[in-house]
């Protein structure tokens, strides 16, 4: 178990981490997700011991690691650009961590060879042991980096943007493969990514970060369904944001009156209503058309459409392919767009769920 | 100085000059280099062998020439290792770490390159000469620096001071810190990281730096001339011996010794070119 | 000095886990101080001890002024000549393929590796009146050896690689697509060179020229053999320093040394500024 307590870190005048706390359970696969500059890589490097925090501490299994040098932390670290030793073969790269152990702890040559063999077959690189890194593809280098980190049997595996430097297709394959590998080995793992899809697909738990703070921690589903802040809302998948005024919890969005019962006691306030693209009903041939279809993209079973509201605002919506076909929509067609639900945020971050009131006022 | 990693020339690119101009430029270049590079080299050999091979070898076999060769080798054998240690340490601290004053430090390391060799000698005379800061004190204890071997070694260290650091710093900078960090995370100690990861990555730059440093150490003239005192057989290095023989109109002798130094220069360039050629993939990878 | 490195060390050490920063920086600074900085400071202390008027009198009287003129003027001419020919050599080596190109490329470094005294006597042998070139030139009444012209020839030789070696990598990295863009926009070859290629090479070219100048100004070994060393005519400033030293006129030698050293520092500053300009223009 890894315990991160009240970490802060500044680089010059840039504050990379502000009082960050987090605990990671044994065997978990955790994603640190955030835009660049959110502090996710700094957090990972501090856990590894590659950076020292200005304040706060990291503990492994209850013991503080503050005075533990990197080399004694028993972490496996996979660097963003792999950092393979370019003058060493694949086998020498993988065995490095074993060969530099002091004599008493160093496995025998035969054991090392055996371990390398095993790791090579695990990362599906058998037969490439005498190649040099420059003779490998990006995906292969990535797997060598992973095997090298695993060779020392670390108690935690840390990966910095593990798929960032790879092509889209390779990235998809490796992602799935990493998930399976984790399921087989059960080693506690933390990886950094800026790709929400990657975090959602691979991780058990996602830590969303922004501006050096943790915005939200939770399972991928939890985070998607219940974002705690406008930032998380926007960062996870597509969302339409509508600045509007709320009076006693009543708002007008996309020509629809909606009500948030939780804000019923409030007076007049500026709020932002967020509506996911798949939370719209689309009607064609209605008398009460409130939008014009601009553009439609078919993505397999889903269709993503872009519509212009009467006031010029652009809204993104998604509907099922069969619905789209039944309505036989075409560009410049007048349609009616009705939100099914919305999430309303006040400036101070408090939020409430809103539903249409039912009296469809135009 | 800077490394030339020959890249393939695109000879048949669509954007180029007419063939006539290309040929003219090539010929002009060859004429210029022929005049300033190849002709002096040829002149050394021609003059050295003007009176035949026998005269050449007997000119080399004098006691004083042999003493000069010995002193030159001794000087290089002290100066090069010292600057090697310095160059590696300086490159490690400057290239792998960020700290205030870093660029000033790099400028100061380059300083001896832009100081006239004569001044490089002069400064040691001012310190260790009989009228200098510590010269009189040392003389009281029977230690002579100026007009003696220690002065020659010191002046040589000064002029060859930046060579190895200069080769290593850009290389080590370009390679970043990630590989060293990876080694540290995998449990390697500082020394092991240095010897197993850093050093192999810069070894060709290091070899080239040592070669250039050595060539300069053996060939330095101005600085050594100031501190040596030109005592035949005692404080005469090979370049100084060339001057003495030349001024005594012993041209065959002067050019014979000069030919040895020219051979050293050619050997330096040949080894450098050979290393670059053999390891061109590795060098390209290291600079990527 | 060690206090400084310790202070700097604790601050910088936080940025990375790599070990050995304090000791390596400490050693670097101490070695630099002992071998370079303290000895160099001796020149200024010695000069400061001789008083302003005595300094001006020794460092700026007739024979010395003539020596400066030759050292600085000759170095400037040599550097300019090398700017033109160095650019040409770099261009031909990077852009054209011809037999022996690799050999020529390797040989450009010769002046770095060849001891200056060897270069000096070789050039003298060539340009003396009975030499290979000297005898030809003599027919037209041109004397090179033992004249200021000889000084310039030696300086050209000694500073030859600087421009080539600074321009070459920049020329190699220069993408052909900018030239192709220029041509597609209707520029001629000469226009492309003057308006697209030359501006891109200019910072490197200036840096190389400045380095060549700095080297040629202080050059001693290759020059004295070919110069003839006629006071007021073909006598360079570094030789004057030696002459004064041989007369045990340490103050006089130091005064001239101070002037030369100050010029070196100005050149170093200029080269640094040029390089900074280069970086800011090329984005690193």
């Amino acid at each position: 178990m890894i315990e991160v307590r009240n970490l802060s870190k500044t680089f010059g005048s840039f504050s990379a981490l502000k009082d960050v706390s987090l605990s990671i359970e044994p065997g978990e696969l955790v994603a640190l997700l955030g835009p660049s500059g959110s502090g996710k890589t700094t957090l990972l490097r501090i856990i590894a011991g590659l950076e020292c925090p200005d304040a706060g501490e990291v503990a492994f299994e209850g013991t503080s690691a503050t005075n533990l040098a990197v080399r004694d932390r028993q972490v496996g670290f996979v660097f963003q650009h792999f950092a393979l030793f370019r003058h060493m073969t694949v086998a020498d790269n993988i065995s490095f961590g074993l060969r530099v152990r002091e004599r008493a702890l160093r496995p025998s040559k035969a054991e090392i060879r055996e371990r390398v063999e095993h790791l090579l077959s695990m990362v599906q690189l058998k037969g490439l042991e005498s190649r040099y890194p420059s003779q490998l593809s990006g995906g292969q280098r990535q797997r060598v980096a992973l095997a090298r980190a695993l060779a020392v049997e670390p108690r935690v595996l840390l990966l910095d943007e593990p798929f960032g430097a790879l092509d889209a297709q390779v990235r998809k394959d490796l992602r799935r493969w990493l998930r399976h590998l984790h399921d087989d080995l059960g080693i506690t793992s933390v990886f950094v990514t800026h790709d929400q899809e990657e975090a959602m697909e691979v991780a058990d738990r996602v830590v969303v970060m922004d501006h050096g703070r943790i915005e939200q921690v939770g399972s991928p589903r939890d985070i998607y369904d219940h974002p705690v802040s406008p930032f998380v809302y926007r960062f996870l998948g597509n969302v339409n944001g509508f600045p509007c005024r709320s009076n006693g919890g009543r708002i007008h969005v996309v020509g629809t009156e909606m009500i948030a019962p939780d804000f019923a006691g409030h007076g007049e306030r500026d709020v932002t209503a967020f509506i996911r693209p798949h939370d719209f009903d689309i009607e064609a041939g209605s008398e009460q058309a409130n939008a014009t279809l601009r553009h439609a993209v078919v993505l397999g079973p889903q269709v993503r459409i872009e519509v212009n509201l009467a006031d010029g605002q652009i809204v993104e919506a998604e509907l099922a392919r069969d619905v789209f076909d039944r309505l036989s929509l075409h560009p410049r067609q007048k349609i009616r767009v009705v939100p099914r639900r919305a999430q309303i945020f006040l400036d101070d971050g408090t939020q409430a769920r809103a539903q249409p009131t039912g009296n469809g006022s135009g | 100085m800077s490394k030339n990693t020959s890249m393939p020339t695109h000879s048949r690119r669509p954007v180029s000059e007419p063939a006539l101009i290309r040929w003219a430029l090539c010929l002009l270049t060859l004429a210029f280099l022929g005049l300033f590079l190849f002709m002096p080299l040829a002149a050394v050999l021609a003059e050295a062998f003007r009176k035949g091979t026998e005269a050449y070898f007997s000119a080399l076999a004098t006691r004083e020439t042999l003493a000069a060769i010995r002193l030159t080798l001794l000087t290089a054998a002290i100066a090069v290792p010292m600057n090697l240690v310095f160059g590696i340490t300086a490159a490690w601290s400057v290239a792998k770490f960020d700290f205030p004053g870093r660029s000033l430090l790099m400028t100061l390391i380059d300083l001896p390159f832009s100081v006239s060799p004569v001044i490089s000698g002069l400064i040691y005379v001012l310190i260790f000469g009989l009228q200098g800061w510590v010269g009189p004190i040392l003389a009281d204890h029977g230690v002579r620096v100026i007009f003696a071997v220690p002065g020659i070694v010191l002046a040589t260290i000064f002029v060859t001071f930046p060579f190895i650091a200069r080769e290593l710093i850009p290389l080590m900078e370009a390679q970043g810190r990630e590989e060293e960090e990876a080694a540290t995370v995998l449990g390697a100690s500082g020394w092991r990281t240095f010897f197993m990861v850093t050093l192999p990555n810069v070894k060709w730059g290091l070899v080239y730096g040592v070669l250039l440093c050595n060539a300069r150490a053996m060939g330095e003239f101005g600085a050594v001339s100031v501190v040596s005192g030109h005592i035949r057989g005692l404080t005469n290095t090979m370049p100084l011996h060339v001057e003495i023989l030349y001024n005594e109109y012993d041209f065959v002798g002067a050019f014979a010794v000069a030919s040895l130094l020219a051979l050293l220069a050619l050997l330096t360039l040949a080894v450098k070119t050979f290393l670059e050629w053999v390891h061109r993939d590795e060098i390209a990878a290291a600079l990527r | 000095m060690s206090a400084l490195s310790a202070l700097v060390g604790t601050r910088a050490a936080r940025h990375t886990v790599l070990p050995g920063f304090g000791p390596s920086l400490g050693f670097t600074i101490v070695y630099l101080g002992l071998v370079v900085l303290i000895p160099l400071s001796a020149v200024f202390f010695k000069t400061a001890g001789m008083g302003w008027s005595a300094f001006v009198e020794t460092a700026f009287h007739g024979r010395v002024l003539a020596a400066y003129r030759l050292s600085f003027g000759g170095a400037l001419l040599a550097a300019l000549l090398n700017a033109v020919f160095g650019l040409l050599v770099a261009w031909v080596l990077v852009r054209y393929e011809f037999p022996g190109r690799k050999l020529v490329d390797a040989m450009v470094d010769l002046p770095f590796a060849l001891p200056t005294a060897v270069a000096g006597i070789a050039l003298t042998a060539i340009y003396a009146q009975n030499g290979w070139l000297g005898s030809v030139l003599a027919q037209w009444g041109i004397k090179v050896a033992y004249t200021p012209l000889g000084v310039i020839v030696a300086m050209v030789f000694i500073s030859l690689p600087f421009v080539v070696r600074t321009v070459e990598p920049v020329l190699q990295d220069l993408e052909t697509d900018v030239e192709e863009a220029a041509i597609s926009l209707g520029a001629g070859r000469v226009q492309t060179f003057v308006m697209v290629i030359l501006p891109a090479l200019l910072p490197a070219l200036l840096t190389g020229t400045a380095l060549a100048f700095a080297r040629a100004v202080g050059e001693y070994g290759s020059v004295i053999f070919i110069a003839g060393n006629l006071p007021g005519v073909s006598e360079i400033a570094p030789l004057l320093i030696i002459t004064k030293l041989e007369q045990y006129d340490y103050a006089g030698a130091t005064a001239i040394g101070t002037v030369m050293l100050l010029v070196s520092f100005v050149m170093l500053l200029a080269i640094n500024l040029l390089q900074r300009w280069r970086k800011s223009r090329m984005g690193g």
Side-chain angles (χ1 to χ4, degrees):
Chain A
M1 160 157 162
I2 307 169
E3 195 81 44
V4 169
R5 297 188 201 108
N6 310 97
L7 286 186
S8 292
K9 174 79 185 174
T10 55
F11 293 106
S13 59
F14 175 71
S15 184
L17 287 180
K18 299 166 191 156
D19 195 24
V20 166
S21 298
L22 176 70
S23 66
I24 295 163
E25 300 300 324
E28 247 191 331
L29 178 50
V30 172
L32 303 180
L33 173 67
S36 58
S38 59
K40 54 192 192 304
T41 294
T42 307
L43 177 56
L44 192 78
R45 287 172 65 88
I46 289 178
I47 296 175
L50 288 168
E51 304 286 352
C52 300
D54 298 336
E57 65 167 0
V58 176
F60 292 99
E61 272 104 40
T63 16
S64 167
T66 308
N67 294 318
L68 209 54
V70 199
R71 46 187 299 230
D72 302 322
R73 288 197 184 197
Q74 286 176 275
V75 296
F77 199 98
V78 178
F79 290 79
Q80 186 178 359
H81 301 288
F82 316 140
L84 295 180
F85 306 124
R86 55 200 122 193
H87 61 282
M88 292 183 200
T89 61
V90 167
D92 286 346
N93 261 285
I94 295 176
S95 63
F96 182 89
L98 302 172
R99 289 185 288 132
V100 297
R101 281 194 190 157
E102 48 190 292
R103 195 169 295 256
L105 301 171
R106 198 186 306 156
S108 72
K109 281 218 165 106
E111 280 173 284
I112 290 180
R113 204 171 322 121
E114 207 171 296
R115 185 92 61 90
V116 170
E117 286 275 298
H118 173 70
L119 283 160
L120 276 170
S121 70
M122 193 170 78
V123 298
Q124 298 156 9
L125 287 176
K126 260 207 142 119
L128 299 186
E129 50 266 56
S130 46
R131 296 265 187 99
Y132 284 90
S134 60
Q135 300 166 320
L136 301 177
S137 73
Q140 290 171 330
R141 284 181 211 179
Q142 167 67 292
R143 282 178 279 157
V144 174
L146 199 60
R148 184 178 70 179
L150 289 172
V152 293
E153 295 176 330
R155 37 183 187 182
V156 47
L157 185 62
L158 306 171
L159 307 100
D160 185 7
E161 296 271 6
F163 313 112
L166 301 173
D167 298 339
Q169 189 50 47
V170 182
R171 193 185 323 199
K172 265 219 156 92
D173 294 345
L174 266 177
R175 200 142 98 183
R176 200 160 306 136
W177 177 78
L178 177 71
R179 178 70 234 186
H180 290 159
L181 191 73
H182 178 266
D183 292 344
D184 292 345
L185 299 177
I187 179 171
T188 314
S189 308
V190 184
F191 73 100
V192 156
T193 178
H194 61 267
D195 181 340
Q196 46 97 9
E197 212 181 299
E198 198 166 287
M200 295 301 197
E201 189 182 318
V202 180
D204 297 323
R205 263 201 318 157
V206 178
V207 177
V208 185
M209 297 188 66
D210 185 40
H211 287 109
R213 288 183 210 283
I214 292 181
E215 288 276 329
Q216 189 171 4
V217 184
S219 71
R221 174 152 189 193
D222 191 31
I223 285 193
Y224 190 80
D225 289 346
H226 307 288
V228 297
S229 67
F231 170 79
V232 179
Y233 229 111
R234 285 184 194 281
F235 199 71
L236 295 184
N238 294 324
V239 73
N240 298 288
F242 303 95
C244 54
R245 285 186 79 71
S246 144
N247 194 351
R250 275 169 197 277
I251 55 167
H252 269 91
V253 187
V254 198
T256 306
E257 185 176 60
M258 303 182 85
I259 180 148
D262 291 356
F263 288 169
H266 290 204
E268 222 175 298
R269 304 279 289 267
D270 280 330
V271 299
T272 309
F274 287 98
I275 306 172
R276 294 251 186 235
H278 49 74
D279 281 336
F280 286 106
D281 283 326
I282 311 291
E283 297 163 18
S286 161
E287 304 247 309
Q288 293 174 309
N290 60 356
T292 313
L293 179 66
R294 276 165 58 104
H295 187 64
V297 186
V298 179
L299 301 163
Q302 291 283 312
V303 182
R304 183 179 298 158
I305 62 170
E306 232 177 73
V307 302
N308 254 359
L309 296 183
D311 63 5
Q313 198 177 355
I314 294 166
V315 172
E316 212 177 278
E318 263 173 38
L319 60 165
R321 177 75 178 270
D322 52 344
V323 177
F324 179 80
D325 289 344
R326 200 171 60 235
L327 295 172
S328 62
L329 296 176
H330 56 83
R332 284 189 298 281
Q333 189 175 349
K334 298 279 180 200
I335 54 171
R336 183 167 148 77
V337 181
V338 184
R340 278 194 294 265
R341 65 175 75 95
Q343 198 75 10
I344 306 177
F345 281 89
L346 296 183
D347 287 346
D348 64 10
T350 52
Q351 55 171 312
R353 171 178 287 250
Q355 237 112 34
T357 53
N359 32 342
S361 60
Chain B
M1 315 250 116
S2 76
K3 190 153 281 126
N4 170 37
T5 48
S6 319
M7 292 191 353
T9 323
H10 314 278
S11 46
R12 245 169 306 156
R13 57 171 84 206
V15 186
S16 191
E17 294 74 37
L20 195 66
I21 294 186
R22 285 209 304 270
W23 276 106
L25 292 179
C26 279
L27 286 179
L28 191 58
T29 301
L30 290 178
F32 174 74
L33 293 181
L35 208 61
F36 280 96
L37 288 183
F38 292 92
M39 201 183 269
L41 214 50
V44 172
L45 292 179
E47 294 291 331
F49 287 101
R50 180 174 287 252
K51 293 193 178 140
T53 40
E54 207 169 307
Y56 175 82
F57 285 110
S58 64
L60 284 183
T62 65
R63 194 182 57 83
E64 281 154 8
T65 304
L66 291 177
I69 293 175
R70 247 193 321 272
L71 180 58
T72 295
L73 291 177
L74 172 74
T75 308
I78 300 172
V80 175
M82 286 193 66
N83 283 334
L84 175 65
V85 172
F86 166 76
I88 290 173
T89 344
W92 177 260
S93 62
V94 168
K96 298 288 177 188
F97 300 90
D98 273 322
F99 52 94
R102 184 172 163 274
S103 59
L104 174 71
L105 186 60
M106 273 161 77
T107 307
L108 291 178
I109 290 174
D110 272 349
L111 200 55
F113 272 154
S114 45
V115 171
S116 171
V118 170
I119 294 175
S120 315
L122 169 72
I123 55 179
Y124 288 104
V125 173
L126 292 180
I127 291 182
F128 295 106
L130 282 178
Q131 304 175 17
W133 288 353
V134 293
I137 307 166
L138 290 176
D140 288 346
H141 293 82
V143 179
R144 281 193 71 120
V145 175
I146 299 306
F147 305 145
V149 175
I152 293 173
V153 172
L154 275 175
T156 305
I157 289 176
F158 181 94
V159 290
T160 58
F161 174 84
F163 278 95
I164 293 168
R166 218 43 235 149
E167 276 302 314
L168 291 183
I169 290 172
L171 262 184
M172 276 164 76
E173 239 179 340
Q175 286 169 351
R177 290 197 281 256
E178 263 202 354
E179 282 184 48
E180 280 84 2
E181 285 180 350
T184 312
V185 175
L186 290 168
S189 67
W191 287 111
R192 281 203 94 112
T193 303
F194 178 74
F195 282 111
M196 291 180 76
V197 176
T198 311
L199 209 52
N201 271 335
V202 297
K203 58 178 181 274
W204 302 122
L206 189 69
V207 168
Y208 184 42
V210 168
L211 283 174
L212 270 186
C213 183
N214 180 62
R216 184 71 196 267
M218 292 193 173
E220 178 51 29
F221 177 74
V224 171
S225 170
V226 174
V227 294
S228 124
H230 307 273
I231 305 163
R232 286 188 154 214
L234 282 180
T235 62
N236 240 2
T237 62
M238 286 167 78
L240 297 180
H241 198 53
V242 169
E243 185 196 21
I244 290 185
L245 294 174
Y246 188 83
N247 287 342
E248 288 171 349
Y249 303 103
D250 179 1
F251 291 134
V252 169
F255 279 100
V257 179
S259 73
L260 289 184
L261 289 167
L263 198 66
L264 170 74
L266 286 179
L267 212 61
T268 303
L269 294 184
V271 173
K272 176 216 163 195
T273 310
F274 176 74
L275 285 178
E276 269 176 14
W277 184 71
V278 170
H279 302 283
R280 57 195 180 281
D281 297 337
E282 219 173 306
I283 290 168
L287 291 176
R288 197 174 298 140
Chain C
M1 251 171 254
S2 54
L4 171 71
S5 74
L7 174 78
V8 166
T10 50
R11 272 178 42 200
R14 286 202 189 140
H15 289 293
T16 170
V17 294
L18 299 186
F21 175 65
S24 66
L25 184 69
F27 176 75
T28 302
I29 291 176
V30 169
Y31 191 93
L32 179 77
L34 285 179
V35 172
V36 177
L37 299 182
I38 294 175
L40 271 180
S41 72
V43 172
F44 295 104
F45 280 111
K46 183 88 184 167
T47 307
M50 68 190 288
W52 181 248
S53 60
F55 169 70
V56 171
E57 208 168 293
T58 358
F60 297 104
H61 80 256
R63 182 175 167 191
V64 185
L65 282 178
Y68 292 147
R69 206 157 37 237
L70 181 60
S71 276
F72 295 131
L76 187 66
L77 280 174
L80 290 178
L81 204 72
N82 270 327
V84 175
F85 281 97
L87 181 62
L88 175 71
V89 172
W91 179 271
V92 167
L93 287 180
V94 172
R95 291 292 172 98
Y96 303 151
E97 193 68 65
F98 57 90
R101 190 178 63 88
K102 289 230 156 64
L103 174 76
V104 172
D105 195 12
M107 285 296 287
V108 168
D109 276 338
L110 182 71
F112 284 154
L114 192 71
T116 53
V118 177
I121 61 170
L123 288 170
T124 315
I126 295 169
Y127 288 98
Q129 289 210 329
N130 57 356
W132 293 342
L133 280 177
S135 56
V136 179
L137 292 171
Q139 290 170 4
W140 297 326
I142 304 173
K143 275 187 71 179
V144 177
Y146 316 124
T147 69
L149 203 55
V151 175
I152 294 171
V153 166
M155 285 175 168
V156 168
F157 172 84
I158 210 69
S159 59
L160 189 145
F162 287 97
V163 172
V164 183
R165 290 299 184 229
T166 34
V167 170
E168 215 175 10
V170 183
L171 200 55
Q172 268 168 355
D173 289 347
L174 200 67
E175 301 289 342
T176 18
D177 57 4
V178 290
E179 284 167 62
E180 288 167 358
I183 301 253
S184 74
L185 291 168
R189 193 65 193 143
V190 176
Q191 279 174 308
T192 307
F193 182 80
V194 174
M195 295 171 71
V196 178
I197 301 174
L198 203 56
L201 298 181
L202 193 64
L205 185 62
L206 287 177
T207 308
T209 311
L211 286 168
F213 175 79
R215 174 72 204 261
V217 163
E219 180 51 22
Y220 173 73
S222 59
V223 174
I224 52 152
F225 292 98
I226 201 173
N229 308 326
L230 215 61
V233 179
S234 61
E235 185 179 54
I236 53 168
L239 179 67
L240 262 184
I241 297 180
I242 298 240
T243 312
K244 300 239 177 223
L245 274 179
E246 279 168 359
Q247 296 159 355
Y248 298 100
D249 178 6
Y250 285 12
T254 313
I256 301 169
T258 307
V259 174
M260 306 261 333
L261 211 47
L262 285 176
V263 172
S264 295
F265 289 159
V266 171
M267 287 311 297
L268 201 60
L269 187 70
I271 291 164
N272 264 316
L273 289 176
L274 273 172
Q275 261 157 355
R276 202 162 292 181
W277 176 50
R278 227 168 113 181
K279 274 196 181 138
S280 70
R281 272 209 12 193
M282 303 297 155

